[in-house]
């Protein structure tokens, strides 16, 4: 990992942080001071690995700027992107409270920064602060529901429906604009949909030919939301 480690200069302390995870709003002043005393920030360039599947899960990490892809490394060098992370997402992973291993990989899609917190300190706060623990459970359940929906989409929808779902998700939940500048590669789009890169490119061209979307280079614009939503629903 070739990233530059440095103490955070963007925010003076955790009390003034404007990209704080919703988990930390449940901490007292003294608890935030404990977090602030151990935290450090890391800058990543696009394409660098933030978390590697299979490594030790030692820190809780908050994405504070940029975008990152969260994915499972499967067999034969095939990946499945679970979702695209935006600030202030917190990475802890299911292994944090089980086997101490990371069960997914996180890679920077754009240049980004992350704030690291010692895992032992976080575990102690969860054990002593019921409101923090409840918020953590809510977050875990939210991602479980998201993954259930993704499982249905990948197993029960045809190729056009998967691509339509992906475009709507990118517009609504990742970039939040229309048109949007795509920072993901065509292979990333394939890994989001469980399809080959060639299949994704073909469907995108069909959507463009049908006047559903427009694209120029990496800029994508949804022209016909109604048609795209109908395809996403019908699969």
């Amino acid at each position: 990992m070739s990233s530059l480690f440095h103490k955070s200069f963007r925010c003076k302390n955790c009390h003034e942080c404007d990209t704080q995870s919703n988990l930390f709003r449940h901490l007292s002043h003294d608890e935030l001071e404990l977090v602030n005393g151990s935290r450090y920030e890391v800058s990543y360039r696009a394409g660098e690995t933030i978390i590697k599947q299979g490594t030790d899960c030692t820190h809780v990490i908050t994405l504070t700027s940029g975008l990152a892809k969260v994915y499972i490394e499967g067999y034969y060098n095939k990946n499945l992107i679970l979702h695209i992370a935006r600030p202030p997402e917190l990475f802890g992973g299911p292994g944090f409270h089980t086997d101490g291993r990371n069960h997914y990989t996180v890679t920077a899609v754009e240049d980004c920064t992350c704030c690291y917190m010692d895992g032992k300190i976080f575990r102690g706060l969860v054990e002593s602060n019921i409101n923090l623990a409840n918020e953590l459970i809510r977050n875990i359940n939210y991602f479980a529901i998201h993954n259930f929906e993704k499982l249905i989409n990948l197993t029960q929808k045809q190729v056009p429906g998967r691509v339509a779902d992906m475009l709507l998700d990118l517009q609504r939940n990742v970039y939040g604009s229309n048109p949007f500048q795509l920072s993901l590669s065509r292979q990333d789009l394939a890994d989001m949909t469980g399809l080959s890169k060639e299949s994704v490119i073909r469907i995108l061209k069909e959507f463009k030919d049908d006047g559903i979307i427009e694209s120029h280079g990496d800029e994508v614009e949804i022209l016909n939301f109604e048609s795209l939503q109908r395809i996403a629903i019908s699969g």
Side-chain angles (χ1 to χ4, degrees):
M1 187 165 58
S2 60
S3 302
L4 176 65
F5 284 73
H6 60 85
K7 199 73 173 177
S8 173
F9 294 102
R10 291 190 315 106
C11 56
K12 295 179 181 179
N13 54 64
C14 291
H15 300 281
E16 301 176 22
C17 180
D18 58 357
T19 53
Q20 189 182 90
S21 168
N22 60 353
L23 289 170
F24 297 114
R25 71 172 185 238
H26 298 286
L27 300 183
S28 67
H29 182 277
D30 289 343
E31 288 172 330
L32 273 178
E33 281 296 304
L34 182 63
V35 172
N36 191 62
S38 69
R39 73 181 177 89
Y40 59 89
E41 190 172 85
V42 182
S43 298
Y44 292 93
R45 297 183 181 90
E48 289 191 305
T49 300
I50 300 170
I51 295 173
K52 174 66 176 176
Q53 182 174 316
T55 59
D56 290 338
C57 186
T58 59
H59 289 77
V60 171
I61 306 170
T62 302
L63 181 67
T64 54
S65 71
L67 296 177
K69 57 182 179 180
V70 181
Y71 60 97
I72 297 172
E73 298 182 44
Y75 300 111
Y76 310 112
N77 296 317
K78 291 185 178 180
N79 301 324
L80 176 63
I81 294 179
L82 300 175
H83 70 282
I84 304 300
R86 298 178 60 187
E89 180 161 335
L90 184 141
F91 306 122
F96 190 78
H97 292 282
T98 53
D99 59 2
R101 298 288 181 180
N102 289 306
H103 289 269
Y104 53 64
T105 294
V106 181
T107 299
V109 172
E110 306 170 348
D111 290 352
C112 63
T113 53
C114 294
C115 194
Y116 280 66
M117 173 186 173
D118 188 288
K120 293 179 181 178
I121 291 177
F122 182 76
R123 185 178 289 108
L125 291 172
V126 171
E127 291 173 353
S128 63
N129 187 321
I130 187 62
N131 292 325
L132 174 64
N134 285 333
E135 188 68 30
L136 179 62
I137 292 171
R138 277 192 289 270
N139 281 10
I140 292 172
N141 288 344
Y142 169 81
F143 286 113
I145 292 169
H146 168 82
N147 289 333
F148 294 159
E149 293 173 349
K150 190 173 187 70
L151 181 62
I152 289 293
N153 289 340
L154 294 180
T155 58
Q156 297 188 8
K157 289 192 176 183
Q158 301 301 315
V159 174
R162 297 190 208 178
V163 177
D165 265 326
M166 174 196 67
L167 288 173
L168 290 169
D169 180 57
L170 290 175
Q171 189 275 320
R172 293 168 176 166
N173 302 317
V174 177
Y175 297 106
S177 64
N178 188 46
F180 54 88
Q181 196 70 24
L182 196 62
S183 51
L184 297 161
S185 69
R186 296 300 185 267
Q187 184 60 55
D188 288 334
L189 301 184
D191 292 343
M192 289 179 71
T193 55
L195 301 168
S196 67
K197 182 169 65 174
E198 293 74 20
S199 293
V200 171
I201 293 173
R202 175 175 57 83
I203 296 301
L204 290 175
K205 184 179 183 304
E206 290 179 4
F207 286 173
K208 184 176 180 179
D209 291 342
D210 292 339
I212 297 173
I213 67 170
E214 184 57 83
S215 62
H216 300 283
D218 290 329
E219 184 178 87
V220 178
E221 181 177 9
I222 298 175
L223 301 176
N224 192 328
F225 276 93
E226 184 178 345
S227 293
L228 198 62
Q229 289 168 342
R230 186 166 57 250
I231 295 170
I233 292 171
S234 64

